[in-house]
Amino acid sequence: MILKVYTSLLLLFLVNFVWTRTVRQVYDDLDPEHWSHYTSECPQECFCPPSFPNALYCDNKGLKEIPAIPARIWYLYLQNNLIETLSEKSFVNATHLRWINLNKNKITNNGIESGVLSKMKRLLYLFLEDNELEEVPAPLPVGLEQLRLARNKISRIPEGVFSNLENLTMLDLHQNSLLDSALQSDTFQGLNNLMQLNIAKNSLKKMPLSIPANTLQLFLDNNSIEVIPENYFSAIPKVTFLRLNYNKLSDDGIPPNGFNVSSILDLQLSHNQLTKIPPINAHLEHLHLDHNKIKSVNGTQICPVSIALEEDYGYYGNIPRLRYLRLDGNEIQPPIPLDIMICFRLLQAVVI
């Protein structure tokens, strides 16, 4: 299972790397006699690099409107401007867009012309961070792979907005104004290939409902979550990286085996209200428990397997895989108990 997860992440990286290198190589080999053509149709407010003719750089120009985008453009950079509206006239010829960066503008939902985004049939990456959106824009391009909406004012998610986004692998909604009521049981329906969901820095008090089953990375830091429901992670059996730092979790809010989940490799519970280490799985590799209220650590009690049984199996047996343990900011006094080292033989770093 762990090997499959790492293989999937590595494959995503390699495909993206090779594809980018191939595209850039094609651009670098272009005949200079064609450069004048690309320059002539370049909007005067922007920069069109001759060696990368499918990219258009209009960032940091003080723009209030988006200029007409040439048909050849795949990559559009419009970040750090004063843009308030997205109108169809700007994109009427831009039918090949793959990537749009509109971070750090002044875009509102009312400023997005109806249907302008959904008509971008080939768009894969849409960045709208640091704007003034109050809800997730809809409708969206069905081919999207990444949607970044961090640091807006989003408090509403329209019904069915994600239902056709089967290719979406990353959804970033962190640092918005989402309440529990905004996340219904069908909110994420349709996101069958989602790998990363970031809802950190919102106003959640409960764990969100119906997280897509294929999610690998779930980020819920800086909310007000108090309780982990029984068997919550059985619905997301592939979750590998789980962040719940800066919440209000206490011992009573965690079921007996709430985090004893074999898929979780990295568990972050820093800055909560725990007084003891919750039961963990032998597959866990990184555990962050700093800045809680833990007073002592008993290696025999927290060891996910019997220490005697572990000795019988030997080094190649089912020994715990924990490599990193952070416990600073608690009430624990050094030295590290010997039974911690006996149990977790692969530990490479302990912060106490």
Side-chain angles (χ1 to χ4, degrees):
M1 169 62 192
I2 297 171
L3 180 60
K4 289 182 179 179
V5 170
Y6 281 132
T7 302
S8 299
L9 293 174
L10 179 60
L11 182 60
L12 283 172
F13 170 78
L14 290 176
V15 169
N16 188 52
F17 176 77
V18 172
W19 179 78
T20 303
R21 287 290 301 272
T22 303
V23 170
R24 287 186 177 275
Q25 184 176 2
V26 171
Y27 297 153
D28 291 341
D29 291 341
L30 284 173
D31 191 328
E33 71 182 25
H34 297 295
W35 293 356
S36 60
H37 166 70
Y38 295 128
T39 304
S40 65
E41 63 174 5
C42 182
Q44 63 179 2
E45 308 95 326
C46 307
F47 171 62
C48 299
S51 60
F52 199 11
N54 288 70
L56 181 61
Y57 291 87
C58 307
D59 51 307
N60 297 287
K61 302 293 185 182
L63 299 180
K64 293 185 177 180
E65 295 182 354
I66 299 175
I69 308 303
R72 60 183 170 81
I73 298 303
W74 286 21
Y75 307 97
L76 179 57
Y77 298 88
L78 288 159
Q79 66 269 26
N80 292 304
N81 280 295
L82 303 171
I83 297 168
E84 297 181 358
T85 60
L86 302 182
S87 62
E88 187 175 349
K89 67 177 183 179
S90 299
F91 300 100
V92 65
N93 294 319
T95 57
H96 295 280
L97 282 173
R98 264 61 164 185
W99 173 303
I100 299 179
N101 189 333
L102 280 158
N103 293 345
K104 295 187 177 179
N105 278 283
K106 298 182 179 296
I107 299 168
T108 64
N109 289 93
N110 290 334
I112 301 176
E113 187 175 325
S114 178
V116 65
L117 293 173
S118 61
K119 291 178 181 178
M120 301 178 186
K121 303 296 185 183
R122 302 187 183 186
L123 194 66
L124 302 178
Y125 300 88
L126 177 58
F127 300 169
L128 279 164
E129 299 178 342
D130 296 284
N131 277 278
E132 298 179 13
L133 299 173
E134 295 183 352
E135 64 180 49
V136 175
L140 291 163
V142 296
L144 272 186
E145 294 182 4
Q146 288 192 16
L147 177 60
R148 299 178 185 242
L149 298 169
R151 294 178 299 277
N152 277 275
K153 303 174 183 178
I154 296 173
S155 61
R156 298 185 300 275
I157 301 179
E159 183 177 356
V161 67
F162 302 128
S163 60
N164 294 321
L165 303 187
E166 293 187 359
N167 295 326
L168 199 72
T169 59
M170 196 269 272
L171 175 59
D172 191 344
L173 288 162
H174 89 269
Q175 199 166 332
N176 277 284
S177 303
L178 293 170
L179 299 171
D180 295 318
S181 58
L183 305 179
Q184 301 298 314
S185 59
D186 59 351
T187 295
F188 302 113
Q189 184 175 346
L191 299 180
N192 299 326
N193 291 296
L194 194 71
M195 297 178 67
Q196 183 187 108
L197 177 60
N198 192 341
I199 327 178
K201 294 189 177 181
N202 278 278
S203 300
L204 304 180
K205 294 183 178 180
K206 300 177 181 180
M207 295 292 284
L209 301 171
S210 300
I211 300 297
N214 285 319
T215 302
L216 298 177
Q217 301 177 346
L218 179 58
F219 303 148
L220 292 163
D221 312 80
N222 293 90
N223 281 285
S224 298
I225 296 171
E226 299 179 356
V227 176
I228 306 294
E230 189 83 32
N231 300 319
Y232 181 84
F233 299 106
S234 62
I236 42 176
K238 297 182 181 180
V239 63
T240 306
F241 302 92
L242 177 62
R243 291 195 337 215
L244 280 159
N245 303 319
Y246 291 97
N247 276 282
K248 296 182 178 180
L249 290 170
S250 64
D251 301 329
D252 294 336
I254 300 175
N257 285 296
F259 295 120
N260 188 0
V261 180
S262 61
S263 65
I264 298 178
L265 304 183
D266 190 298
L267 176 60
Q268 300 189 20
L269 297 169
S270 305
H271 293 272
N272 278 279
Q273 299 172 14
L274 302 175
T275 64
K276 60 184 179 181
I277 298 178
I280 59 175
N281 193 271
H283 290 91
L284 187 67
E285 296 183 2
H286 295 84
L287 177 59
H288 298 248
L289 285 165
D290 55 287
H291 297 91
N292 276 274
K293 299 179 180 180
I294 301 171
K295 295 183 179 180
S296 63
V297 180
N298 186 316
T300 303
Q301 291 180 353
I302 69 171
C303 192
V305 300
S306 167
I307 292 180
L309 186 62
E310 182 182 339
E311 291 176 350
D312 291 340
Y313 277 120
Y315 184 80
Y316 296 102
N318 187 32
I319 65 173
R321 300 177 186 176
L322 194 69
R323 288 170 167 79
Y324 180 88
L325 175 61
R326 184 171 178 182
L327 291 166
D328 56 304
N330 284 283
E331 300 175 31
I332 303 169
Q333 298 296 322
I336 300 167
L338 180 60
D339 51 5
I340 290 286
M341 308 309 296
I342 293 175
C343 173
F344 302 107
R345 301 183 186 182
L346 300 182
L347 265 177
Q348 297 175 355
V350 181
V351 183
I352 193 169

